[in-house]
């Protein structure tokens, strides 16, 4: 078992289940029961370090009849998603095991599902339009990730284009954080993926009647041959309707969405919202005739996605080695110039990057399939994101920041660790304020302006002296002037060097602080390959 948890490579040493109290049961359905529990883990690199982590335990009873083979396939399919696809919007798997006739999945504990979130003691409590659309787009982006990913199964067989097939308000969880709720997809047991190399022209058509009834497309409900993607976009349309207007309202009007209903569900949507963009999206998603229903690409082209989604694949992000590069700029900078840099800015850079590393360690915690590091990128298919390298890379960064916490320097400390240790020791009382970052960069810009003025003055002096040299006829006076010109030229070169150093630093700091990781599974890993 290869478990990465918030910077640690760990192993599970104990699992505790809360199966006795009513509060211990988090949910149940036809596929299994989910309990609240705790997982005790031990740091592989330091057996003295242990943690107790709250988790959700999914217990699946394995059939003993003819359905056993199908059920085991569903379990393997769910595991293939959790083990091989990593996203902050997919529930993390920490481990799994079989005991007797039960199979257990140890999963990330969330705070509830979307049904809990959009209802209260009085019934429906739908979201405001902007929040509903942002949640919808996060779910859509995650479904796009699942479709565009590849899944290794038995032998060398690769599967691709996975469709969830059970998108509903209960299978979308949320987890509270300081920056707002984070959406988490779960329950991939009945998901469907397509074979890769042997079926490149394979259509997305199936006949299996699968999903939650109220969220299934009309053709799926009627057990007709249906397109997996069009089935998914219908479910997304019902989900968006519930987020915007309420789950009970949908249940009370669900007959209007059935293909044999004479009532017009579009008329209901028209009455509920004045937003043209929302109407266009819902009308596209909720076409009863699948040939008229929009697909994934058309969701991306919609006005709602352009308003609230990430429409550009060109991201503003910081390369993974930017922190090391900035550090080298500071270390090699002219001492006189370095002394003018606000110490608070250095401290802020350190904590900005440290916070990012810890956040990524949290995002990418979970169970990873064992990989051969040596042949990792040589053997990996061209489009396959190699998630197995992420914990290896993040654990190095995590350990780097852990090493800086030690008060005393040792002979093993490299120049970078020594530098940042001194910075953090000097700034123990400083409170990191993110809003101050541009103010501190402006101080550097003012220093840059002064350097520019000094450089201009030196250049002017140089020009004037060169004119005098041409005018003087006596050799001695020419010689004195030439010495003076040389001195000024040296000062000019020094100022120019300082100006270039500071200008480069300001440009990199501006890029550094403007960086936002919006789609780590895309831009992040291009840089990860380059780094390794």
């Amino acid at each position: 078992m290869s478990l990465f948890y918030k910077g640690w490579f760990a192993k599970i040493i104990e699992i505790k289940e809360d199966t006795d109290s009513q509060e211990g049961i988090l949910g149940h359905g036809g596929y299994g029961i989910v309990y609240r529990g705790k997982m005790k883990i031990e740091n592989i690199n330091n057996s003295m370090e242990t943690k107790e982590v709250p988790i959700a335990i999914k217990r699946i009873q394995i059939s003993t009849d003819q359905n056993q083979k199908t059920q085991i396939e569903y379990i393997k399919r769910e595991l293939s998603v959790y083990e091989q696809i990593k996203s902050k919007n997919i529930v993390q798997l920490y481990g799994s095991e079989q005991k007797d006739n039960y199979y257990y999945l140890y999963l990330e504990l969330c705070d509830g599902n979307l049904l809990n979130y959009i209802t209260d003691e009085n019934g429906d409590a739908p979201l405001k339009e902007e929040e509903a659309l942002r949640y919808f787009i996060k779910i859509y982006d995650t479904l796009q990730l699942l479709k565009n990913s590849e899944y290794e199964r038995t032998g060398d067989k690769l599967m691709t284009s996975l469709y969830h097939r059970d998108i509903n308000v209960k299978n979308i969880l949320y987890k509270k954080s300081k920056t707002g709720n984070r959406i988490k997809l779960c329950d991939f047991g009945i998901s469907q993926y397509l074979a890769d190399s042997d079926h490149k022209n394979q259509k997305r058509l199936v006949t299996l009647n699968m999903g939650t009834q109220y969220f299934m497309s009309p053709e799926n409900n009627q057990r007709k041959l249906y397109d997996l993607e069009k089935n998914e976009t219908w479910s997304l349309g019902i989900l968006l309707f519930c987020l915007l207007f309420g789950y009970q309202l949908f249940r009370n009007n669900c007959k209007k969405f059935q293909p044999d209903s004479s009532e017009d569900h579009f008329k209901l949507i028209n009455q509920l919202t004045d937003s043209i963009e929302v109407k266009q999206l819902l009308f596209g998603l909720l076409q009863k005739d699948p040939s008229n229903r929009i697909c994934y690409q058309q969701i991306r082209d919609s006005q709602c996605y352009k308003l609230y989604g990430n429409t550009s694949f060109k991201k503003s992000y910081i390369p993974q080695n930017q922190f090391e590069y900035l550090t080298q700029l500071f270390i090699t900078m002219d001492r006189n110039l370095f002394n003018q840099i606000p110490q608070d800015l250095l401290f802020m850079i350190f904590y900005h990057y440290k916070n990012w590393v810890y956040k990524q360690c949290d995002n990418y915690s979970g169970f990873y399939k064992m990989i051969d590091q040596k042949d990792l990128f040589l053997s990996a298919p061209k489009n396959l994101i190699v998630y197995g390298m992420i914990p290896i890379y993040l654990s190095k960064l995590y350990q780097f920041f852990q090493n800086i916490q030690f008060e005393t320097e040792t002979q093993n400390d490299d120049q970078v660790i020594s530098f940042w240790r001194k910075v953090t020791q000097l700034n123990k009382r400083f409170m990191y304020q993110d809003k101050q970052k541009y103010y501190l960069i402006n101080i550097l810009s003012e220093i840059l302006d002064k350097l520019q003025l000094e450089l201009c003055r030196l250049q002017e002096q140089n020009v004037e002296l060169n004119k005098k040299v041409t005018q003087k006829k006596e050799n001695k006076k020419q010689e004195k002037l030439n010495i003076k010109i040389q001195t000024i030229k040296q000062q000019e070169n020094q100022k120019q060097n300082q100006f270039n150093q500071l200008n480069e630093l300001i440009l990199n700091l501006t890029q550094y602080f403007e960086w936002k990781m919006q789609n780590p599974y895309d831009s992040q890993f291009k840089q990860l390959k380059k780094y390794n």
Side-chain angles (χ1 to χ4, degrees), residues 123-135:
D124 281 337
L127 308 180
K128 291 181 180 177
E129 183 180 300
E130 181 177 344
E131 187 181 10
L133 286 169
R134 289 194 187 281
Y135 282 6

PDB file of all heavy atoms in Angstrom, residues 123-135:
ATOM      1  N   GLY A 123     -37.208  23.010   4.083  1.00  0.00           N
ATOM      2  CA  GLY A 123     -37.295  22.465   2.725  1.00  0.00           C
ATOM      3  C   GLY A 123     -36.189  23.008   1.836  1.00  0.00           C
ATOM      4  O   GLY A 123     -35.018  23.025   2.236  1.00  0.00           O
ATOM      5  N   ASP A 124     -36.565  23.480   0.651  1.00  0.00           N
ATOM      6  CA  ASP A 124     -35.580  23.954  -0.321  1.00  0.00           C
ATOM      7  C   ASP A 124     -34.853  25.216   0.160  1.00  0.00           C
ATOM      8  O   ASP A 124     -35.468  26.130   0.717  1.00  0.00           O
ATOM      9  CB  ASP A 124     -36.259  24.269  -1.662  1.00  0.00           C
ATOM     10  CG  ASP A 124     -36.531  23.010  -2.467  1.00  0.00           C
ATOM     11  OD1 ASP A 124     -35.856  22.004  -2.230  1.00  0.00           O
ATOM     12  OD2 ASP A 124     -37.432  23.040  -3.337  1.00  0.00           O
ATOM     13  N   ALA A 125     -33.540  25.230  -0.075  1.00  0.00           N
ATOM     14  CA  ALA A 125     -32.721  26.423   0.177  1.00  0.00           C
ATOM     15  C   ALA A 125     -31.727  26.540  -0.979  1.00  0.00           C
ATOM     16  O   ALA A 125     -30.524  26.338  -0.803  1.00  0.00           O
ATOM     17  CB  ALA A 125     -31.992  26.304   1.516  1.00  0.00           C
ATOM     18  N   PRO A 126     -32.232  26.822  -2.203  1.00  0.00           N
ATOM     19  CA  PRO A 126     -31.364  26.822  -3.384  1.00  0.00           C
ATOM     20  C   PRO A 126     -30.284  27.895  -3.308  1.00  0.00           C
ATOM     21  O   PRO A 126     -30.361  28.835  -2.502  1.00  0.00           O
ATOM     22  CB  PRO A 126     -32.339  27.089  -4.537  1.00  0.00           C
ATOM     23  CG  PRO A 126     -33.512  27.751  -3.917  1.00  0.00           C
ATOM     24  CD  PRO A 126     -33.623  27.206  -2.526  1.00  0.00           C
ATOM     25  N   LEU A 127     -29.294  27.752  -4.162  1.00  0.00           N
ATOM     26  CA  LEU A 127     -28.141  28.649  -4.148  1.00  0.00           C
ATOM     27  C   LEU A 127     -28.394  29.871  -5.029  1.00  0.00           C
ATOM     28  O   LEU A 127     -29.238  29.847  -5.921  1.00  0.00           O
ATOM     29  CB  LEU A 127     -26.911  27.907  -4.668  1.00  0.00           C
ATOM     30  CG  LEU A 127     -26.580  26.563  -4.015  1.00  0.00           C
ATOM     31  CD1 LEU A 127     -25.337  25.972  -4.649  1.00  0.00           C
ATOM     32  CD2 LEU A 127     -26.399  26.712  -2.517  1.00  0.00           C
ATOM     33  N   LYS A 128     -27.612  30.904  -4.782  1.00  0.00           N
ATOM     34  CA  LYS A 128     -27.637  32.046  -5.684  1.00  0.00           C
ATOM     35  C   LYS A 128     -27.043  31.620  -7.016  1.00  0.00           C
ATOM     36  O   LYS A 128     -26.237  30.696  -7.086  1.00  0.00           O
ATOM     37  CB  LYS A 128     -26.824  33.201  -5.083  1.00  0.00           C
ATOM     38  CG  LYS A 128     -27.480  33.807  -3.857  1.00  0.00           C
ATOM     39  CD  LYS A 128     -26.666  34.968  -3.306  1.00  0.00           C
ATOM     40  CE  LYS A 128     -27.346  35.565  -2.075  1.00  0.00           C
ATOM     41  NZ  LYS A 128     -26.543  36.659  -1.481  1.00  0.00           N
ATOM     42  N   GLU A 129     -27.429  32.322  -8.057  1.00  0.00           N
ATOM     43  CA  GLU A 129     -27.054  31.920  -9.419  1.00  0.00           C
ATOM     44  C   GLU A 129     -25.547  31.746  -9.590  1.00  0.00           C
ATOM     45  O   GLU A 129     -25.091  30.735 -10.137  1.00  0.00           O
ATOM     46  CB  GLU A 129     -27.572  32.954 -10.425  1.00  0.00           C
ATOM     47  CG  GLU A 129     -27.294  32.575 -11.863  1.00  0.00           C
ATOM     48  CD  GLU A 129     -27.820  33.613 -12.841  1.00  0.00           C
ATOM     49  OE1 GLU A 129     -29.041  33.865 -12.837  1.00  0.00           O
ATOM     50  OE2 GLU A 129     -27.001  34.173 -13.594  1.00  0.00           O
ATOM     51  N   GLU A 130     -24.756  32.703  -9.103  1.00  0.00           N
ATOM     52  CA  GLU A 130     -23.302  32.632  -9.304  1.00  0.00           C
ATOM     53  C   GLU A 130     -22.704  31.408  -8.611  1.00  0.00           C
ATOM     54  O   GLU A 130     -21.895  30.675  -9.194  1.00  0.00           O
ATOM     55  CB  GLU A 130     -22.623  33.898  -8.782  1.00  0.00           C
ATOM     56  CG  GLU A 130     -21.119  33.885  -8.999  1.00  0.00           C
ATOM     57  CD  GLU A 130     -20.436  35.166  -8.547  1.00  0.00           C
ATOM     58  OE1 GLU A 130     -21.134  36.189  -8.334  1.00  0.00           O
ATOM     59  OE2 GLU A 130     -19.200  35.145  -8.393  1.00  0.00           O
ATOM     60  N   GLU A 131     -23.122  31.158  -7.352  1.00  0.00           N
ATOM     61  CA  GLU A 131     -22.596  30.008  -6.612  1.00  0.00           C
ATOM     62  C   GLU A 131     -23.011  28.697  -7.282  1.00  0.00           C
ATOM     63  O   GLU A 131     -22.198  27.777  -7.422  1.00  0.00           O
ATOM     64  CB  GLU A 131     -23.077  30.045  -5.163  1.00  0.00           C
ATOM     65  CG  GLU A 131     -22.434  28.984  -4.287  1.00  0.00           C
ATOM     66  CD  GLU A 131     -22.916  28.999  -2.842  1.00  0.00           C
ATOM     67  OE1 GLU A 131     -23.901  29.709  -2.542  1.00  0.00           O
ATOM     68  OE2 GLU A 131     -22.305  28.298  -2.012  1.00  0.00           O
ATOM     69  N   ALA A 132     -24.265  28.626  -7.711  1.00  0.00           N
ATOM     70  CA  ALA A 132     -24.765  27.412  -8.364  1.00  0.00           C
ATOM     71  C   ALA A 132     -23.976  27.120  -9.642  1.00  0.00           C
ATOM     72  O   ALA A 132     -23.580  25.975  -9.892  1.00  0.00           O
ATOM     73  CB  ALA A 132     -26.250  27.567  -8.691  1.00  0.00           C
ATOM     74  N   LEU A 133     -23.710  28.142 -10.433  1.00  0.00           N
ATOM     75  CA  LEU A 133     -22.985  27.954 -11.688  1.00  0.00           C
ATOM     76  C   LEU A 133     -21.523  27.596 -11.446  1.00  0.00           C
ATOM     77  O   LEU A 133     -20.941  26.802 -12.188  1.00  0.00           O
ATOM     78  CB  LEU A 133     -23.095  29.203 -12.564  1.00  0.00           C
ATOM     79  CG  LEU A 133     -24.466  29.392 -13.229  1.00  0.00           C
ATOM     80  CD1 LEU A 133     -24.587  30.774 -13.849  1.00  0.00           C
ATOM     81  CD2 LEU A 133     -24.715  28.318 -14.281  1.00  0.00           C
ATOM     82  N   ARG A 134     -20.939  28.160 -10.415  1.00  0.00           N
ATOM     83  CA  ARG A 134     -19.537  27.824 -10.097  1.00  0.00           C
ATOM     84  C   ARG A 134     -19.435  26.359  -9.665  1.00  0.00           C
ATOM     85  O   ARG A 134     -18.497  25.660 -10.053  1.00  0.00           O
ATOM     86  CB  ARG A 134     -18.991  28.757  -9.016  1.00  0.00           C
ATOM     87  CG  ARG A 134     -18.760  30.178  -9.507  1.00  0.00           C
ATOM     88  CD  ARG A 134     -17.924  30.986  -8.555  1.00  0.00           C
ATOM     89  NE  ARG A 134     -17.853  32.383  -8.945  1.00  0.00           N
ATOM     90  CZ  ARG A 134     -17.064  32.863  -9.913  1.00  0.00           C
ATOM     91  NH1 ARG A 134     -16.277  32.043 -10.585  1.00  0.00           N
ATOM     92  NH2 ARG A 134     -17.060  34.142 -10.216  1.00  0.00           N
ATOM     93  N   TYR A 135     -20.370  25.889  -8.860  1.00  0.00           N
ATOM     94  CA  TYR A 135     -20.380  24.478  -8.465  1.00  0.00           C
ATOM     95  C   TYR A 135     -20.596  23.589  -9.684  1.00  0.00           C
ATOM     96  O   TYR A 135     -19.925  22.566  -9.862  1.00  0.00           O
ATOM     97  CB  TYR A 135     -21.473  24.215  -7.431  1.00  0.00           C
ATOM     98  CG  TYR A 135     -21.140  24.658  -6.024  1.00  0.00           C
ATOM     99  CD1 TYR A 135     -19.974  25.374  -5.746  1.00  0.00           C
ATOM    100  CD2 TYR A 135     -21.980  24.379  -4.953  1.00  0.00           C
ATOM    101  CE1 TYR A 135     -19.673  25.785  -4.463  1.00  0.00           C
ATOM    102  CE2 TYR A 135     -21.682  24.785  -3.671  1.00  0.00           C
ATOM    103  CZ  TYR A 135     -20.528  25.496  -3.427  1.00  0.00           C
ATOM    104  OH  TYR A 135     -20.216  25.898  -2.157  1.00  0.00           O
TER     105      TYR A 135
END
